[in-house]
């Protein structure tokens, strides 16, 4: 699997998780160690600068997702810091701009605000590494990301942050068509097996993000548990590819996917 000029052993990546210290004492840092062991792309969600420094110090190639903080200067500061840490890529999520009551969100005491297309373009220009938008669920948002110069998107409903939100795989083919190869497309939410990964890749995703499925192994066995989980999902994916004639990731075939109505 090749991404942003680097090579990895699997298209099964970590998800942009946050606040895992209640699962393992070192939380996201131990997750990063597991990703490093599996030679998989690591992701990091919300956290302070010191934590990101410990994450990148593991050697795991990490994509940092920044929250849509109320202050754009805070966002810019986080962008600059992530670059100093040597991240593979960075970006912002659009899931937490609003709370469930329609007010601007507040995450662990930190105020959030929605960001306009103009603001997104400014963030993209500030970044010297590929910029990613997480939380895309429509062709309209995907097309705006293309216009902003974004290099990749995560098709995600933030594990059901809104009731009845469209499942990522249901809207993925429309987004793939709208993007037309102009950026990488990642998928998360409910990726727990190789067949889940296979479906997303066959429908046009570049790679997938595994999140909650690694939490129990992380708590029980730390980095080794993360490594084993990623390797299990990858082996299952390899089996499904072999049995459907997909020689490599460039030959995934949407024709084998059937929608059950």
């Amino acid at each position: 699997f090749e991404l942003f000029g680097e090579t990895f052993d699997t298209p099964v990546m970590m998800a942009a998780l946050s606040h895992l210290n209640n699962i393992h004492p070192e939380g996201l840092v131990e997750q990063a160690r597991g990703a490093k062991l599996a030679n998989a792309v690591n992701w990091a969600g919300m956290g302070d600068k010191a934590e990101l420094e410990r994450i990148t110090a593991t050697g795991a190639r990490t994509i940092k997702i920044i929250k849509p903080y109320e202050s754009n200067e805070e966002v810019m500061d986080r962008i600059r810091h992530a670059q100093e840490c040597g991240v593979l890529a960075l970006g912002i999520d659009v899931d937490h701009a609003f709370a469930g009551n329609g007010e601007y969100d507040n995450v662990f005491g930190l105020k959030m605000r929605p960001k306009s297309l103009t603001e997104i373009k400014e963030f993209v220009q500030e970044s010297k590494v590929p910029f990613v938008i997480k939380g895309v669920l429509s062709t309209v948002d995907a097309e705006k990301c293309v216009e902003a110069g974004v290099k990749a998107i995560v098709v995600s409903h933030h594990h059901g942050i809104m009731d009845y939100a469209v499942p990522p795989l249901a809207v993925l083919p429309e987004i793939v068509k709208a993007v037309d190869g102009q950026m990488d497309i990642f998928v998360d939410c409910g990726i727990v097996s190789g067949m889940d990964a296979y479906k997303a890749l066959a429908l046009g995703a570049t790679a997938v993000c595994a999140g909650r499925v690694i939490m129990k192994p992380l708590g029980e066995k730390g980095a080794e548990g993360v490594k084993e989980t990623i390797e299990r999902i990858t082996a299952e994916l390899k089996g499904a590819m072999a049995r459907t004639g997909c020689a490599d990731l460039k030959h995934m075939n949407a024709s084998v996917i059937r929608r059950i109505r």
Side-chain angles (χ1 to χ4, degrees):
F1 171 56
E2 295 182 1
L3 181 66
F4 303 144
E6 300 189 27
T7 303
F8 302 89
D9 288 350
T10 175
V12 181
M13 311 183 292
M14 298 289 94
L17 300 174
S18 306
H19 316 297
L20 295 184
N21 290 348
N22 60 329
I23 294 174
H24 186 282
E26 294 189 81
L28 292 178
V29 179
E30 191 69 4
Q31 172 191 284
R33 294 189 182 108
K36 173 68 174 176
L37 289 173
N39 192 27
V41 178
N42 185 54
W43 288 63
M46 189 175 187
D48 60 29
K49 292 180 178 179
E51 182 180 54
L52 181 58
E53 291 165 9
R54 295 195 301 274
I55 288 169
T56 53
T58 67
R61 300 301 287 133
T62 299
I63 298 176
K64 170 65 177 176
I65 294 297
I66 299 164
K67 288 295 181 192
Y69 296 107
E70 177 182 47
S71 166
N72 281 354
E73 182 50 44
E74 176 69 17
V75 175
M76 291 293 194
D77 182 59
R78 297 277 183 152
I79 289 173
R80 291 188 286 266
H81 177 258
Q83 291 176 153
E84 291 169 1
C85 290
V87 295
L88 175 66
L90 59 84
I92 192 168
D93 85 50
V94 294
D95 301 306
H96 273 296
F98 292 99
N101 62 2
E103 301 298 326
Y104 294 141
D105 210 349
N106 186 302
V107 184
F108 291 95
L110 297 172
K111 295 180 180 179
M112 305 292 155
R113 288 290 187 276
K115 303 303 178 184
S116 68
L117 179 57
T118 298
E119 289 171 307
I120 294 295
K121 288 180 178 179
E122 292 172 353
F123 300 149
V124 171
Q125 291 171 0
E126 182 68 21
S127 179
K128 304 301 186 294
V129 297
F131 199 89
V132 182
I133 295 289
K134 179 179 179 291
V136 173
L137 272 183
S138 72
T139 57
V140 172
D141 283 354
E143 288 165 353
K144 286 183 178 180
C145 288
V146 171
E147 181 182 344
V150 170
K151 297 301 182 183
I153 56 175
V154 184
V155 181
S156 169
H157 57 37
H158 211 107
H159 204 77
I161 195 170
M162 184 172 70
D163 291 344
Y164 307 108
V166 61
L169 289 193
V171 73
L172 177 61
E174 300 170 26
I175 290 176
V176 170
K177 183 178 180 180
V179 167
D180 192 27
Q182 297 178 82
M183 63 174 63
D184 289 310
I185 301 173
F186 310 134
V187 173
D188 75 0
C189 300
I191 303 296
V192 300
S193 71
M195 190 53 75
D196 292 332
Y198 179 92
K199 288 183 285 186
L201 294 168
L203 290 172
T206 307
V208 299
C209 300
R212 296 195 176 216
V213 69
I214 68 99
M215 290 184 178
K216 184 177 180 182
L218 173 64
E220 293 177 346
K221 299 178 67 175
E224 188 62 29
V226 173
K227 171 180 176 289
E228 290 174 358
T229 302
I230 296 303
E231 290 181 343
R232 169 186 63 79
I233 297 173
T234 302
E236 293 168 355
L237 169 61
K238 183 179 178 180
M241 290 172 65
R243 287 173 169 170
T244 54
C246 298
D248 53 42
L249 295 174
K250 296 179 181 178
H251 291 86
M252 300 300 289
N253 189 344
S255 70
V256 304
I257 302 297
R258 293 290 182 270
R259 185 185 297 273
I260 305 300
R261 297 187 183 277

